[in-house]
Amino acid sequence: MKVTVTVNGSQVEAEVPDRTLLVHFLREQAGLTATNVGCDTSSCGACTVLLDGQSVKSCTLLAAQADGRAVQTMEGLANGDGPDAMHPVQRAFRAEHGLQCGFCTPGMVMAAVSLLAENSSPTEDEVRSALEGNLCRCTGYHNIVRAVLAAASETQSAKAGAAAAERQA
Amino acid sequence: MSILGTRVVRTEDPRLLTKGGTYIDDMRLPGMARVTFVRSPVAHAMITGIDTSAALAAPGVVAALTAADLTDLGPPPPDDGSGGEANEAAPLPLGGPWTEPLLAVDRVRYVGEPVAMVITDDRYQGEDAAELVSVDYETLPAVVGYDAALAGSTLLFPAAGTNVAISGGAPADDSAFEGCEVVVERTFENQRLAPVPMEGRAAAATWEDGKLTAWVSTQNAQISRLILSGVLGLDPGAIRVVAPDVGGGFGAKVALDRDAILVVWAAKHIGHALSWTETRSENLLGMTQGRAQRQTVKIGGNRDGRIQAYRLDIVQDTGAYARMSGFLPFLTRLMASGPYDIPNASAASTTVVTNATPIAAYRGAGRPEATAAIERAVDLFAAEIGKDPADVRRMNLVPDGKFPFQSPCGPVYDSGAYTGALDQVLAGAGYRELRAEQARRRERGDVVQLGLGMSSYVEITAADAEGGETAQLIVHDNGTATVYTGSSAHGQGHHTAWAMLVEAELGIEMAKVTVIHGDTDLIPVGTGTYGSRSLQLGGVAVHKAAVEVKEQARLLAADLLEASESDLELDTGSGTWQVRGDPASSKTWAEVASHAGDSGLTASVHHTAQPTFPFGSHLAVVEVDTETGKARLIRHVTVDDAGTVLNPVLCEGQRHGGIAQGVAQALYEEVAYDADGNPLTSTLVDYAAITAAELPSFELLTSETPAANPLGAKGIGEAGTIGSTPATQNAVIDAVSHLGVRHIDMPATPERVWAAINAARGTL
Amino acid sequence: MIPVTFTYQRASSVDEALDLASRGEETKFLAGGHSLLPLMKLRLAVPETLIDIGRLRELSYIRDDGSHLAVGALTSYHDVATSDLLARKLPLLAHAASQVGDPQVRHCGTIGGSLAHGDSAADLPAVVLALDATLVVRGPSGSREIAAGDFFRGLFETALEDGELITEIRIPKPAAPGWSFQKFTKRAIDWAIVGVAVQGGNVALVNMGQTPLRATAVEQALASGAAPGDAAAHAADGLTPSSDFSASRGYREHLARVLVGRALTESLTRN
């Protein structure tokens, strides 16, 4: 069947077998290989992307289910090239050493983006709980949690700053 | 001020965080086809027939291959007359009657063993076609567990006449325990674990114009090339092995195994570019697993706390094929007496084959097993004599003045400050306050009790340091530099660390330093990354190459500046060569390198050394719900001393990751089989890989006792795992020791804890 | 890892969904897919046709209908968990939904999908049992209502006939405000080894049998005035929970007693 998905703002259209998983559509038809497959039981979260703004496990969705909808992958987070264009979550992962081999990272980053969209000031417990569906073998999660909290903090400061500036204007 | 020792974020990350890494499955080779394996669904059986005709007729199938097609391998290795018995100190698989095939020939010995391969245009077709390969199995009794293997009523390798692959160590000496006021003996298990790197095994290959190019998710490109050369009968020069981004290894991606070899062979055999990435289910069946030792400890000493004698007897389950069968328990025996000064200590091991996934290295590779055994034994001894386990440790740790220390089990520990590490971790955790809280909860009879567990450990890193590591450093005409390293990072951040070393020594800023690894065309000689060896071998090699380049550059700069070499100074802050006292004289690295002529400004080093012995102490704090048995880690405090720290960011990351995997062994993870050898934990639903929700943030304390190499570095990669497992296990037992519990096997699942409490209550 | 080939069809209305189902062989409805797709990927489920009902937004709602609350079958776990209305009027359901899986699963999976799947180890079946819910079902022969107590027939077996789908879950507003949900796992992400859902005097159990079960012995004890601790002692009476890799039967029975006791105690604090 023909599937059309808006991926990171661009339309990707392809004729694919009905049973095509969204993660494979992203990796093959959309040519975006950052999102990885880490398991076959929806356990590891390496395949996490945003579907209409909410985190989902793209290995547990058919491409057909995303037809006509919008997907965002880690490749679509940054606002251009260079360190300043990185999303606060990407910046924070780097600053806090929240990645080692990098394989779980795209899914982890998108899960974090979704968490912060729903809860802009999570506690450490809330961060750990929100990431229970994202496995990492390298980091022990310690710095991932620090990265998410740092990103939350940076975003909150930025908002406070913007609000203050607006009040002054 | 040198950049060494400062916190530097990784140069690897911008790419990994924006585009993502390029792992094998991300590669698109022109005309590439996909490999899917057909694997045994039974643990032990004769193969009486394989029919690939239905698969060959399926859509998209390019080929279907079985053992019968393996006609174009290299000649088998010459019979070395050893009768299949290896030097157990060398991690080579056993040959002779124990030989492991590539594709199963007439017999399968574990669920997941590769039996056939189908090659298809795409992976979806591959999964369909693999189901169409029909294999006839005549099942045999499955040998499951240590006792069945030792009893030997069913043999995995009838020609070997036994299931015992190899034995070693010292015979037991009961006289060592005479005169001990107290002797405690116990048998327990260090359970089988799955490494679960987030990227499983993967390989891709092309065969073009007589050259084989293999991309392998490996920790050792050069060793992989040697293996392929031997197996395929090709000159090493006709093979290029590349390690792309590798999604974790933990020892399970040392070199390459039969599945990857088959992919590379098949690319040559059918003349087609091929790619293979296993699924997680295949990974949990087919990637080598870790640990799997049954341990009997005997510890004897006096009521004042002094340990006089220690004995460790090991039965190592090596799984269906004897790959590292002798090597892992050899390392366990080597480190059996731990950081203690015990007058009499010895160990022995027997390795058996069973119908289970083959065992090989997994973070720590034999040393976590040693530490887990003696740390349990010390706690059992402390419980028997009614003393605080911290006091018993302190009384027996090798004192500072005794280094270098000759361990009764063989190695000479280079340097250590064991008592200081213990005291530091206890102080850092607030041990006295924690004991007071524990006492309060016991007094009140709280449902949720507090448990404190500790470990003191020493471990051996760069055990194969005599093989060393290579580095080549080139400074280019434009003033940038390239490092070709024999080490092979798969998350450890070597590119950042080696660039720091170049900047520190030469003043060439990190942004101008490119580090390359894992390509045998560019780096033909090298060992790779395992055993926590890379900084002390590969990093020192880079440092030495930089020092050599500096001395070459001094001559070149002297020539350029028409001064004498002894008047030349390198200002590492600005990265310029100057004549002392004449700041106007100044040559850049670009100018100096350009002056080097055709030979360029370059140095190559092969640095060899001796193993080193990092050490530390961990303190785990757990809460146990005594009604349900559920244990939860609430704090984990550590001292992990691996010498001088090059980059605290990288060092801490290794400690964190190690601690998490060690805690996972104590509380959650285990590979299990049923009585017929069927795996019970072949998905991540059942194999309880630890998540962020089960862990606290860790408390890492700093201790740096330098090693005797230019960087003062020992290895940190595995230390966290070695220390954390026994500390956590001891903590769970400590939480319910007032109820009469002396021991709980790992993983300390809620049901196990509950059963232990019940059993203890029954005896009170 | 990859499902066996099937035909995908998408319904744009409930009527169309029912019509498509009636025409096909071996058809399954696809809601969020987070119970069904994992089974299909392991090739344990092999439907020939999937009818995607995931776009039927008209089946995603949470309403106060006076005497009862109405939750559309295609309401996601996330929407159930974060509903202000449910937080106020039916906190047991909201809280239990927040404990299912992880955030990604909760964004996709639906309450109707969970109930139709009929896994006794899942959380929501026991919850709707404790809430005396009624499932509104539509099929080729029209609409019918099935009491939760009649809905779960066996492991992965429900009262749904071929071609039927759940459209709404109707939950009477609880008379007694006390509630509790106790989900016992090894890791946070795991399925419940044993779970307990309490609403007032109703006690339902997760993973203590082939279906979600009411702990009738406990309820009777409570009704005759027993204290929570004494009532909880009956949690496993007459039940035969399984022994599997996660837990032995004896441990499950023990957990049921402990968790029912804790659930009843917690529920009382909310009265």
Side-chain angles (χ1 to χ4, degrees):
Chain A
M1 62 175 285
K2 184 161 77 106
V3 171
T4 307
V5 185
T6 304
V7 186
N8 297 333
S10 300
Q11 267 212 349
V12 178
E13 184 183 290
E15 182 71 38
V16 293
D18 290 7
R19 61 177 172 163
T20 304
L21 301 176
L22 177 59
V23 66
H24 290 133
F25 183 89
L26 295 171
R27 290 175 56 74
E28 310 284 336
Q29 280 70 32
L32 296 167
T33 58
T35 307
N36 292 316
V37 174
C39 77
D40 30 34
T41 49
S42 316
S43 308
C44 80
C47 65
T48 303
V49 299
L50 301 191
L51 176 63
D52 294 335
Q54 290 185 323
S55 60
V56 299
K57 293 183 170 179
S58 62
C59 74
T60 316
L61 280 163
L62 301 173
Q65 289 174 280
D67 184 35
R69 299 169 73 179
V71 169
Q72 189 181 30
T73 71
M74 188 182 74
E75 292 105 319
L77 267 192
N79 216 348
D81 289 328
D84 294 323
M86 287 211 283
H87 186 283
V89 170
Q90 289 168 311
R91 260 203 300 281
F93 266 71
R94 182 174 192 214
E96 299 297 330
H97 188 38
L99 63 152
Q100 291 183 24
C101 82
F103 195 83
C104 78
T105 305
M108 194 69 76
V109 163
M110 299 317 283
V113 170
S114 182
L115 163 65
L116 294 180
E118 292 179 358
N119 180 353
S120 57
S121 275
T123 62
E124 176 172 341
D125 278 351
E126 286 171 336
V127 173
R128 290 182 175 277
S129 191
L131 295 179
E132 69 189 38
N134 287 79
L135 295 181
C136 171
R137 272 319 244 185
C138 294
T139 68
Y141 306 102
H142 181 112
N143 283 344
I144 290 175
V145 172
R146 284 180 58 94
V148 178
L149 292 172
S153 184
E154 185 200 311
T155 314
Q156 290 295 85
S157 315
K159 280 193 195 148
E166 220 184 281
R167 281 197 296 277
Q168 277 198 325
Chain B
M1 221 207 55
S2 174
I3 197 175
L4 300 186
T6 67
R7 302 184 73 85
V8 178
V9 296
R10 297 198 326 172
T11 58
E12 292 89 337
D13 290 351
R15 177 179 64 91
L16 292 174
L17 282 167
T18 53
K19 293 199 200 32
T22 303
Y23 309 91
I24 302 266
D25 201 62
D26 301 330
M27 292 170 40
R28 302 283 175 266
L29 302 168
M32 184 178 99
R34 296 276 186 180
V35 176
T36 306
F37 282 94
V38 177
R39 299 182 184 279
S40 172
V42 294
H44 199 193
M46 301 302 294
I47 298 174
T48 52
I50 307 184
D51 182 358
T52 58
S53 53
L56 284 165
V61 175
V62 172
L65 303 169
T66 68
D69 296 296
L70 288 161
T71 52
D72 52 343
L73 298 174
D79 185 352
D80 61 1
S82 64
E85 291 181 42
N87 168 9
E88 65 159 1
L92 294 174
L94 292 186
W98 304 98
T99 301
E100 181 170 8
L102 287 172
L103 283 171
V105 181
D106 58 353
R107 194 164 181 138
V108 290
R109 297 182 174 88
Y110 64 99
V111 175
E113 179 160 9
V115 174
M117 319 162 63
V118 293
I119 293 158
T120 53
D121 293 333
D122 73 45
R123 93 176 77 230
Y124 283 37
Q125 294 163 334
E127 202 160 311
D128 294 339
E131 284 193 343
L132 296 174
V133 174
S134 169
V135 185
D136 296 318
Y137 295 103
E138 234 171 58
T139 54
L140 297 167
V143 177
V144 180
Y146 307 95
D147 291 325
L150 289 166
S153 42
T154 300
L155 298 179
L156 271 73
F157 301 89
T162 174
N163 287 325
V164 175
I166 194 168
S167 297
D173 177 16
D174 288 333
S175 69
F177 291 87
E178 282 162 22
C180 291
E181 289 170 353
V182 170
V183 177
V184 179
E185 211 171 330
R186 190 120 194 176
T187 298
F188 40 71
E189 179 149 8
N190 196 293
Q191 82 276 28
R192 185 182 263 269
L193 298 177
V196 192
M198 290 317 296
E199 181 205 21
R201 296 172 300 163
T206 59
W207 168 251
E208 265 163 54
D209 302 325
K211 177 132 183 187
L212 193 56
T213 305
W215 293 262
V216 186
S217 188
T218 180
Q219 302 169 221
N220 318 88
Q222 292 82 7
I223 299 176
S224 300
R225 180 167 76 143
L226 279 172
I227 292 172
L228 287 169
S229 165
V231 172
L232 302 180
L234 290 173
D235 193 83
I239 304 174
R240 176 187 184 196
V241 176
V242 178
D245 286 321
V246 172
F250 312 112
K253 289 183 181 174
V254 164
L256 78 179
D257 69 4
R258 60 200 276 192
D259 300 50
I261 293 172
L262 284 165
V263 172
V264 179
W265 161 77
K268 174 172 179 286
H269 182 80
I270 65 172
H272 212 299
L274 295 180
S275 180
W276 166 67
T277 296
E278 67 176 352
T279 66
R280 180 59 60 189
S281 299
E282 291 180 281
N283 173 263
L284 287 169
L285 298 176
M287 172 175 258
T288 52
Q289 297 174 346
R291 313 285 188 264
Q293 289 184 358
R294 188 167 68 190
Q295 304 175 321
T296 301
V297 297
K298 187 168 170 182
I299 185 166
N302 298 331
R303 293 207 167 274
D304 68 352
R306 272 298 278 150
I307 300 168
Q308 298 296 335
Y310 176 69
R311 170 73 185 176
L312 171 63
D313 283 286
I314 301 160
V315 182
Q316 172 78 56
D317 170 7
T318 195
Y321 292 96
R323 295 186 189 180
M324 282 198 179
S325 50
F327 186 58
L328 297 172
F330 166 73
L331 290 174
T332 309
R333 298 193 328 252
L334 207 62
M335 301 307 295
S337 58
Y340 303 107
D341 189 359
I342 301 174
N344 285 291
S346 70
S349 65
T350 300
T351 300
V352 293
V353 291
T354 64
N355 290 117
T357 301
I359 293 278
Y362 170 53
R363 202 160 199 166
R367 292 101 68 202
E369 295 89 315
T371 300
I374 192 159
E375 290 308 286
R376 251 319 26 242
V378 169
D379 265 30
L380 286 167
F381 175 66
E384 188 64 28
I385 63 176
K387 277 192 174 294
D388 188 311
D391 294 335
V392 173
R393 283 178 172 78
R394 198 178 289 106
M395 206 177 295
N396 290 283
L397 288 171
V398 175
D400 290 2
K402 271 198 161 184
F403 288 93
F405 175 73
Q406 173 67 66
S407 153
C409 294
V412 177
Y413 301 163
D414 53 3
S415 57
Y418 300 161
T419 309
L422 177 63
D423 287 339
Q424 187 184 2
V425 85
L426 295 177
Y431 185 63
R432 273 200 284 271
E433 292 72 30
L434 289 167
R435 281 287 181 213
E437 171 62 20
Q438 179 183 58
R440 280 193 293 274
R441 294 195 194 195
R442 286 179 173 180
E443 175 80 26
R444 288 193 304 254
D446 284 6
V447 169
V448 178
Q449 288 291 325
L450 201 68
L452 311 180
M454 67 198 71
S455 68
S456 285
Y457 72 91
V458 58
E459 90 111 334
I460 180 171
T461 59
D464 67 343
E466 286 179 359
E469 194 54 276
T470 63
Q472 182 188 13
L473 172 61
I474 305 173
V475 180
H476 305 287
D477 290 356
N478 61 3
T480 65
T482 301
V483 174
Y484 294 93
T485 176
S487 72
S488 199
H490 39 285
Q492 293 88 339
H494 295 167
H495 289 207
T496 302
W498 294 184
M500 288 172 70
L501 290 170
V502 173
E503 179 174 316
E505 194 61 32
L506 301 183
I508 298 174
E509 61 186 15
M510 284 178 67
K512 290 186 173 165
V513 180
T514 302
V515 180
I516 295 177
H517 77 272
D519 185 332
T520 59
D521 268 9
L522 302 175
I523 308 158
V525 179
T527 304
T529 294
Y530 53 61
S532 304
R533 72 199 306 277
S534 291
L535 179 59
Q536 60 191 292
L537 297 176
V540 170
V542 171
H543 166 80
K544 284 167 98 170
V547 169
E548 269 186 47
V549 160
K550 187 160 128 184
E551 289 322 302
Q552 287 178 38
R554 189 184 301 279
L555 295 176
L556 295 166
D559 196 53
L560 278 174
L561 289 166
E562 293 174 337
S564 100
E565 301 142 39
S566 50
D567 290 333
L568 263 287
E569 268 179 357
L570 171 63
D571 175 6
T572 52
S574 60
T576 54
W577 286 93
Q578 292 166 0
V579 177
R580 192 176 304 110
D582 179 9
S585 76
S586 180
K587 291 295 170 192
T588 64
W589 275 104
E591 289 169 314
V592 172
S594 302
H595 194 58
D598 288 337
S599 51
L601 180 50
T602 177
S604 283
V605 171
H606 187 153
H607 171 69
T608 63
Q610 289 296 304
T612 59
F613 296 84
F615 63 94
S617 284
H618 286 212
L619 195 290
V621 184
V622 305
E623 284 188 326
V624 173
D625 181 326
T626 53
E627 285 178 359
T628 65
K630 185 167 178 176
R632 198 186 157 72
L633 180 72
I634 59 171
R635 286 179 65 198
H636 203 94
V637 190
T638 84
V639 171
D640 303 295
D641 188 324
T644 305
V645 176
L646 177 73
N647 182 341
V649 172
L650 300 178
C651 182
E652 288 161 14
Q654 290 303 304
R655 290 167 75 181
H656 295 155
I659 292 165
Q661 286 180 309
V663 170
Q665 172 167 19
L667 295 181
Y668 300 103
E669 294 181 20
E670 63 175 332
V671 173
Y673 291 87
D674 70 14
D676 297 319
N678 297 312
L680 298 170
T681 49
S682 63
T683 75
L684 288 180
V685 174
D686 299 304
Y687 186 79
I690 199 165
T691 81
E694 280 75 57
L695 291 167
S697 287
F698 308 119
E699 298 162 59
L700 304 189
L701 305 175
T702 304
S703 172
E704 299 184 28
T705 303
N709 60 52
L711 298 181
K714 302 182 184 179
I716 192 62
E718 294 156 291
T721 299
I722 291 167
S724 63
T725 299
T728 308
Q729 182 187 23
N730 283 341
V732 176
I733 297 162
D734 182 70
V736 293
S737 64
H738 65 300
L739 302 174
V741 175
R742 284 286 171 93
H743 180 75
I744 304 174
D745 257 355
M746 301 187 290
T749 60
E751 180 161 359
R752 279 209 172 129
V753 175
W754 171 71
I757 295 172
N758 284 349
R761 281 198 176 123
T763 61
L764 283 175
Chain C
M1 170 77 206
I2 314 294
V4 168
T5 296
F6 58 85
T7 302
Y8 171 91
Q9 295 175 321
R10 185 182 302 147
S12 51
S13 70
V14 177
D15 285 334
E16 188 185 359
L18 297 175
D19 183 51
L20 288 171
S22 69
R23 292 162 192 281
E25 305 261 332
E26 298 289 335
T27 66
K28 290 281 277 177
F29 292 115
L30 178 71
H34 275 53
S35 300
L36 181 58
L37 278 173
L39 287 184
M40 290 174 66
K41 286 168 63 182
L42 293 175
R43 303 197 166 192
L44 298 172
V46 288
E48 285 178 16
T49 306
L50 276 194
I51 299 161
D52 186 355
I53 56 173
R55 309 284 173 118
L56 301 181
R57 305 319 297 153
E58 68 265 32
L59 290 187
S60 175
Y61 55 85
I62 302 170
R63 280 192 327 248
D64 183 336
D65 275 358
S67 61
H68 64 267
L69 289 146
V71 179
L74 288 178
T75 312
S76 70
Y77 296 116
H78 173 81
D79 288 349
V80 172
T82 56
S83 156
D84 283 329
L85 179 58
L86 291 179
R88 282 180 287 117
K89 303 280 173 90
L90 213 52
L92 170 61
L93 181 61
H95 176 76
S98 77
Q99 302 300 298
V100 174
D102 52 49
Q104 294 95 317
V105 168
R106 294 196 287 274
H107 285 141
C108 277
T110 64
I111 179 169
S114 172
L115 299 178
H117 192 63
D119 188 346
S120 60
D123 302 318
L124 296 193
V127 170
V128 300
L129 198 58
L131 290 172
D132 286 323
T134 300
L135 278 51
V136 180
V137 166
R138 274 192 61 189
S141 31
S143 205
R144 62 193 180 108
E145 292 175 13
I146 311 175
D150 297 326
F151 185 77
F152 303 103
R153 296 278 169 87
L155 189 59
F156 304 119
E157 218 191 295
T158 69
L160 287 176
E161 307 274 335
D162 284 342
E164 283 190 316
L165 56 85
I166 306 171
T167 55
E168 182 177 283
I169 297 95
R170 252 175 228 163
I171 303 147
K173 286 183 183 171
W179 67 274
S180 175
F181 184 67
Q182 303 283 323
K183 179 174 179 177
F184 187 82
T185 59
K186 280 188 248 182
R187 299 176 300 167
I189 194 60
D190 291 333
W191 295 84
I193 295 178
V194 172
V196 176
V198 164
Q199 182 72 53
N202 292 357
V203 181
L205 302 172
V206 180
N207 215 1
M208 283 294 287
Q210 299 280 293
T211 67
L213 297 163
R214 292 279 286 263
T216 46
V218 173
E219 291 176 350
Q220 280 158 13
L222 285 172
S224 14
D230 298 326
H234 296 281
D237 286 5
L239 300 180
T240 48
S242 57
S243 280
D244 56 28
F245 180 63
S246 295
S248 69
R249 173 178 164 173
Y251 183 59
R252 282 202 158 90
E253 290 168 351
H254 168 75
L255 277 180
R257 290 188 286 268
V258 171
L259 296 174
V260 166
R262 292 181 182 182
L264 292 176
T265 303
E266 184 175 51
S267 173
L268 281 177
T269 67
R270 293 178 168 131
N271 263 333

